[in-house]
Amino acid sequence: MANLLWLQGGACSGNTMSFLNAEEPSACDLVTDFGINVLWHPSLGLELGDNLKKLLNALTSGQMPLDIFVFEGTVVNAPNGTGEWNRFAGRAMRDWVSDLCKVANFVVAVGDCATWGGIPATAPNPSESQGLQFLKRDQGGFLGKDYKSKAGLPVINIPGCPAHPDWITQIVVAVATGRAGDLTLDEFQRPKTFFTSFTQTGCTRNMHFAYKVSATEFGQRKGCLFYDLGCRGPMTHSPCNRVLWNRQSSKTRAGMPCMGCTEPEFPFFDLAPGTVFKTQTVMGVPKDMPSGVDKTGYIKLTAAAKAASPRWAEEDIFVV
Amino acid sequence: MNNEQQHALLRKMAQLMKSGLETQTEPFPETEKEFAAILDELRKLDANDVEAKMVISGFVDHPYGPDRQRCMECMYYLVHREWCDLPELAVPVDADWWCRLWRI
């Protein structure tokens, strides 16, 4: 039986909504099949007021073991580093986080806000938000770069806006069932099993990417979303086209460009109208190339791809 | 637009350029914002005003610039249809033409 506590800082509850829709395994399976004891969760917890405080104090004092601490949302430090803008159970949430991370065997950050600060930490960052162990690309964050939980692991980051529900439950199960040793993390502390390949891997529009045929509108069934709609699939690490959403789709399959939400820089660019859903170019050439491709190679590839492009690449193919 | 109409329009555009139609090849839109500004100008035009579209987007009937850029490598060019798929243009084009909305 592993004790799990889930708290929420500066967040929209998106990751909670995602988690509650998990299917492989589901949130219920965590309890019934994997013996996880969900001590408290913002949408599921029964305790209120003093009873909740009692529970939290029992955990921070070591009276009750905390096996897995899941945190959703940013650590809010405003105003002036006090964290008073985000109070919970009688004190600043940041103080609870600090104390709970000292006693937890494993700490799991769920969603972009908890991992890198996400949208709340975008300049000018009025809530002085931080991720648990990163602020954007910089390691450190609220807990500092040297932080390790009692089991000896840094914060396990499961990014995404929101994180896919099954990424969350599968990592929680791995940790709860003693398989944490099998987890390998990348440089941003993301489990490699999910975050080694790209969103483009498994994209049904890859043939259009190969032949440089572009979709020019949202929802269009033909064409690649990279060139004209700002899709970040070729440079974003995520399995969105392998571990499908609702078991059957993904943004790119629905005609919506990947926004790169599993990368620390999300949200990209200046969020001014007309900048987000557009591949930024310099003199007509993409500013951010697909990972591992240089400008000269890309231009040569394009010329060859256009020359070899088959007629069907220009037709309206229904892709799901 | 059927094939015959498309070819007729292509010939008309080629003729316009051959007879010296002056188009705005410069400045090349270096950034996405400059690119968007040209698109805004195009959106104000009548969709059938091909000559004005050609002027604003800077059409020329030959490869352009030190990199010899041409429609053939542009992301909007549909090879088999010989067509520019940029919604604001939506005109037939030859692979060896170029305009300043070229993107790769």
Side-chain angles (χ1 to χ4, degrees):
Chain A
M1 184 69 89
N3 283 342
L4 181 147
L5 174 76
W6 182 308
L7 293 186
Q8 193 180 98
C12 67
S13 294
N15 290 285
T16 280
M17 293 299 112
S18 184
F19 167 68
L20 294 176
N21 282 289
E23 290 185 67
E24 293 176 355
S26 72
C28 291
D29 293 340
L30 297 189
V31 179
T32 57
D33 295 1
F34 296 101
I36 295 175
N37 181 26
V38 181
L39 296 173
W40 199 82
H41 177 284
S43 297
L44 304 172
L46 296 176
E47 288 79 8
L48 293 169
D50 288 344
N51 286 340
L52 176 57
K53 268 194 225 172
K54 212 178 285 177
L55 170 70
L56 293 171
N57 285 325
L59 292 168
T60 54
S61 67
Q63 191 187 331
M64 184 186 285
L66 177 57
D67 299 296
I68 307 164
F69 175 45
V70 180
F71 192 64
E72 169 186 10
T74 58
V75 179
V76 173
N77 293 295
N80 306 317
T82 62
E84 290 294 320
W85 278 13
N86 180 202
R87 286 178 64 80
F88 179 73
R91 62 197 290 230
M93 175 60 91
R94 73 193 294 278
D95 296 337
W96 284 120
V97 171
S98 177
D99 290 347
L100 289 162
C101 287
K102 284 176 193 149
V103 296
N105 269 337
F106 296 98
V107 176
V108 180
V110 168
D112 275 8
C113 298
T115 51
W116 348 108
I119 290 173
T122 299
N125 192 1
S127 56
E128 300 170 30
S129 279
Q130 288 176 299
L132 279 183
Q133 216 169 1
F134 278 86
L135 178 57
K136 302 297 176 185
R137 189 168 272 266
D138 298 329
Q139 198 179 21
F142 177 65
L143 295 170
K145 65 178 180 172
D146 296 325
Y147 171 80
K148 289 211 168 35
S149 64
K150 277 174 73 181
L153 280 182
V155 173
I156 300 167
N157 284 332
I158 309 178
C161 193
H164 188 292
D166 296 347
W167 309 342
I168 304 171
T169 53
Q170 287 178 27
I171 291 300
V172 166
V173 164
V175 168
T177 55
R179 303 291 299 275
D182 295 342
L183 290 178
T184 49
L185 306 179
D186 71 5
E187 60 181 319
F188 297 111
Q189 297 167 205
R190 301 174 293 198
K192 282 187 181 174
T193 185
F194 292 128
F195 297 100
T196 300
S197 63
F198 297 97
T199 309
Q200 189 180 20
T201 311
C203 178
T204 50
R205 294 166 188 265
N206 275 344
M207 56 194 185
H208 292 111
F209 178 80
Y211 291 119
K212 309 296 168 201
V213 176
S214 180
T216 49
E217 292 170 3
F218 294 114
Q220 207 170 26
R221 295 180 296 186
K222 69 150 199 210
C224 175
L225 299 150
F226 171 65
Y227 312 102
D228 212 30
L229 292 175
C231 181
R232 299 194 64 83
M235 56 283 250
T236 298
H237 295 88
S238 98
C240 287
N241 278 303
R242 292 190 291 116
V243 182
L244 297 177
W245 291 74
N246 297 319
R247 313 270 75 73
Q248 59 180 307
S249 194
S250 68
K251 279 190 177 170
T252 59
R253 290 176 190 215
M256 159 76 191
C258 165
M259 295 179 73
C261 75
T262 52
E263 296 295 331
E265 295 89 349
F266 174 83
F268 294 83
F269 307 119
D270 55 11
L271 296 181
T275 62
V276 178
F277 295 113
K278 204 79 185 163
T279 287
Q280 304 295 298
T281 55
V282 178
M283 302 299 281
V285 179
K287 200 158 106 183
D288 292 340
M289 289 286 174
S291 285
V293 178
D294 65 19
K295 182 184 158 186
T296 313
Y298 187 76
I299 291 173
K300 282 183 187 163
L301 176 71
T302 303
K306 283 281 188 190
S309 173
R311 190 175 290 276
W312 56 253
E314 295 172 9
E315 289 167 3
D316 188 359
I317 298 172
F318 182 69
V319 281
V320 290
Chain B
M1 192 180 297
N2 62 32
N3 272 356
E4 204 172 305
Q5 289 168 319
Q6 182 173 324
H7 282 119
L9 182 53
L10 185 75
R11 282 195 300 273
K12 180 186 163 190
M13 292 170 70
Q15 188 54 45
L16 279 168
M17 286 186 279
K18 199 175 172 189
S19 59
L21 178 71
E22 283 198 24
T23 64
Q24 295 171 21
T25 53
E26 302 289 341
F28 187 89
E30 286 188 35
T31 66
E32 216 41 61
K33 283 180 183 168
E34 291 165 14
F35 188 90
I38 297 174
L39 293 186
D40 281 344
E41 278 188 68
L42 288 170
R43 286 187 196 115
K44 290 174 193 157
L45 299 176
D46 183 312
N48 295 318
D49 191 351
V50 174
E51 191 172 328
K53 283 184 185 177
M54 291 172 71
V55 170
I56 291 170
S57 50
F59 266 82
V60 292
D61 59 0
H62 50 79
Y64 192 85
D67 292 334
R68 307 277 296 158
Q69 294 172 350
R70 54 188 190 145
C71 292
M72 178 67 185
E73 284 86 30
C74 177
M75 70 166 72
Y76 301 113
Y77 181 62
L78 300 183
V79 180
H80 297 280
R81 282 185 63 195
E82 296 180 301
W83 183 261
C84 174
D85 210 28
L86 178 66
E88 287 77 4
L89 286 178
V91 287
V93 285
D94 185 276
D96 281 332
W97 292 0
W98 176 88
C99 88
R100 62 179 174 151
L101 293 170
W102 182 92
R103 293 174 86 217
I104 194 166

